[in-house]
């Protein structure tokens, strides 16, 4: 009889009772997606998992299990001597693998023999993934959203990130997606998470918020880079009232030249972004832009892209939207005092709309 408990409950409150969530899958499985807050203590690494699988298919099930058991025993021993060495007797972990099978059973059995009160997640990661899908795709969670909108370069993200200091709840979708939400919005050296990982991050962020209070979210397209906003949130965003930030094109271009400094310093990334423009630029236009890059005049390049791509795309989307506009706030995105003033006005507008922040 197993010396550990089992559960299938993976809600925020259910997970909070554990001192640690231990994912025993291989590092590549963990990198693709995992339960928020989990630590990866694999009982088989990627090479060992491939080795055991190959032996299972090409030689024998018995040999694969014997070799796999030896790897598992050594790996768990190493975890006990390193990552788990300082855990107290009261340490209460939740352990899971892909489907709650042999990998998590091995870890749970040994840790329970140490004397720790261990719980195994029945169904493993698949149980958790079904929960994420149900919450983000099937359920209609009532959310009190206020959207922060405005043309590209109006400092929406910077102002959004200033609101928590004023007591306003925010949901930073671009931060969760590791992308600035525009054609040139890829972050240098930071690939986007998988769609599943983005959804895990999103659900984890929602769990950390009080859903009875309003939440300010930056207005986004249905996709942030290559990551799709799940239907539950997207439906709520489409109906939410908007606060529109307004700034001059020159100020927005100058702001973008600084905010997108990483991509401005990467000519290859710029060329790749040019190739993704929905209306391909002419050879003459490309040469003009390359001249701006060579001269370091990134504000002029940003202004050209604002006029050709960003503003027309934003204006088309705005004409199609039926969401009410709660207010329009003029600001200078380059000016810190102007951004601070805008954040304070947004807090007041959220208070007026929802009666609280």
């Amino acid at each position: 009889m197993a010396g550990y408990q089992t559960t299938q409950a993976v809600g925020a409150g259910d997970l909070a009772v554990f001192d640690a969530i231990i994912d025993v899958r291989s590092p590549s499985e963990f990198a693709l997606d995992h339960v928020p807050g989990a630590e990866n203590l694999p009982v088989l690494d990627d090479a060992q998992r491939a080795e055991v699988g190959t032996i299972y298919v090409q030689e024998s099930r018995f040999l694969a299990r014997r070799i796999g058991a030896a790897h598992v025993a050594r790996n768990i021993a190493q975890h006990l001597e390193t990552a788990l060495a300082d855990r107290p007797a009261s340490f209460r972990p939740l352990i899971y693998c892909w489907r709650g099978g042999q990998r998590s059973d091995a870890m749970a059995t040994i840790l329970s023999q140490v004397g720790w009160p261990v719980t195994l997640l029945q169904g493993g990661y698949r149980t958790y993934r079904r929960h994420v899908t149900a919450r983000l795709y099937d359920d209609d969670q009532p959310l009190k959203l206020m959207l922060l909108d405005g043309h590209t370069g109006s400092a929406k993200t910077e102002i959004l990130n200033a609101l928590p200091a004023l007591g306003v709840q925010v949901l930073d979708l671009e931060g969760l997606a590791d992308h600035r939400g525009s054609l040139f919005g890829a972050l240098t050296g930071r690939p986007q998470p998988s769609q599943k990982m983005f959804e895990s991050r999103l659900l984890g962020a929602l769990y950390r918020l009080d859903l009875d209070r309003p939440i300010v979210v930056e207005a986004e397209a249905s996709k942030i880079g290559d990551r799709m906003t799940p239907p539950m949130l997207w439906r709520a965003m489409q109906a939410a009232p908007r606060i529109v930030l307004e700034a001059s094109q020159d100020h927005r271009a100058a702001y973008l030249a600084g905010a997108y400094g990483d991509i401005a310093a990467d000519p290859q990334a710029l060329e790749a972004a040019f190739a993704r423009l929905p209306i391909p630029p002419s050879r003459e236009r490309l040469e003009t832009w390359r001249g701006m890059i060579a001269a370091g005049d990134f504000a002029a390049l940003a202004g050209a892209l604002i006029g050709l791509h960003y503003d027309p795309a934003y204006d088309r989307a705005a004409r199609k939207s039926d969401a009410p506009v709660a207010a329009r706030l003029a600001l200078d995105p380059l000016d810190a005092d102007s951004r601070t003033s805008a954040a304070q006005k947004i807090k007041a507008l959220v208070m007026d709309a929802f009666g609280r922040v």
Side-chain angles (χ1 to χ4, degrees), residues 4-334:
Y4 53 78
Q5 297 182 331
T6 62
T7 186
Q8 288 187 308
V10 291
D14 305 307
L15 297 177
V17 303
F18 298 103
D19 297 319
I21 302 169
I22 299 176
D23 185 324
V24 303
R25 298 175 302 156
S26 68
S28 63
E29 293 173 287
F30 182 82
L32 183 65
D33 185 33
H34 53 263
V35 176
E39 55 185 301
N40 189 207
L41 300 181
V43 299
L44 290 173
D45 65 26
D46 291 308
Q48 291 164 347
R49 185 165 173 252
E51 176 196 8
V52 171
T54 300
I55 294 170
Y56 186 95
V57 171
Q58 297 182 359
E59 298 186 49
S60 78
R61 178 178 180 180
F62 171 77
L63 182 59
R65 289 171 66 93
R66 179 171 64 78
I67 292 174
H71 287 319
V72 167
R74 280 190 292 268
N75 289 333
I76 294 177
Q78 183 182 22
H79 296 322
L80 284 167
E81 293 169 348
T82 54
L84 301 173
D86 62 349
R87 309 300 169 101
S90 60
F91 176 58
R92 185 181 181 188
L94 174 70
I95 296 172
Y96 73 91
C97 62
W98 170 248
R99 57 184 180 185
Q102 293 178 343
R103 288 185 289 175
S104 55
D105 174 74
M107 177 73 99
T109 297
I110 292 175
L111 297 197
S112 66
Q113 290 299 309
V114 171
W116 287 316
V118 175
T119 302
L120 182 145
L121 179 59
Q122 280 186 316
Y125 169 79
R126 295 195 301 178
T127 293
Y128 162 74
R129 181 61 194 168
R130 284 194 295 270
H131 171 76
V132 174
T133 300
R135 292 298 306 271
L136 297 182
Y137 285 80
D138 301 334
D139 295 349
D140 269 324
Q141 173 71 50
L143 297 173
K144 300 176 180 178
L145 299 186
M146 178 75 83
L147 261 58
L148 190 56
D149 205 351
H151 285 100
T152 298
S154 52
K156 297 186 294 295
T157 300
E158 191 168 354
I159 291 170
L160 182 82
N161 290 331
L163 292 174
L166 300 177
V168 181
Q169 292 194 128
V170 305
L171 185 61
D172 182 6
L173 293 178
E174 293 183 2
L176 297 173
D178 283 336
H179 199 278
R180 285 170 292 216
S182 64
L183 186 68
F184 291 77
L187 297 173
T188 302
R190 286 172 58 187
Q192 288 196 265
S194 69
Q195 179 67 31
K196 290 179 180 179
M197 179 70 84
F198 171 58
E199 292 168 5
S200 286
R201 291 179 177 181
L202 172 58
L203 188 57
L206 288 171
Y207 280 154
R208 292 189 293 273
L209 297 174
D210 180 351
L211 301 188
D212 290 328
R213 294 169 52 204
I215 302 166
V216 178
V217 184
E218 186 173 342
E220 303 284 355
S222 59
K223 291 182 71 176
I224 305 171
D226 291 327
R227 298 297 155 250
M228 183 189 75
T229 303
M232 180 274 285
L233 180 60
W234 180 241
R235 287 192 294 266
M237 290 174 66
Q238 287 181 300
R242 298 166 182 258
I243 298 170
V244 180
L245 302 180
E246 298 182 329
S248 72
Q249 180 171 320
D250 287 345
H251 284 166
R252 290 188 287 119
Y255 179 83
L256 286 176
Y260 283 58
D262 58 333
I263 193 170
D266 187 344
Q268 289 185 336
L270 283 170
E271 290 288 346
F274 294 158
R276 294 193 299 270
L277 284 166
I279 301 175
S282 66
R283 180 180 300 177
E284 293 77 10
R285 178 167 279 157
L286 272 176
E287 289 306 315
T288 299
W289 291 350
R290 288 166 181 157
M292 294 173 179
I293 295 169
D297 194 353
F298 296 112
L301 176 62
L305 290 166
I306 282 173
L308 177 73
H309 169 68
Y310 282 119
D311 281 7
Y314 175 87
D315 293 339
R316 285 193 299 270
R319 286 193 294 270
K320 296 177 182 177
S321 175
D322 296 325
V325 174
R328 297 182 181 273
L329 301 179
L331 82 159
D332 178 356
L334 296 165

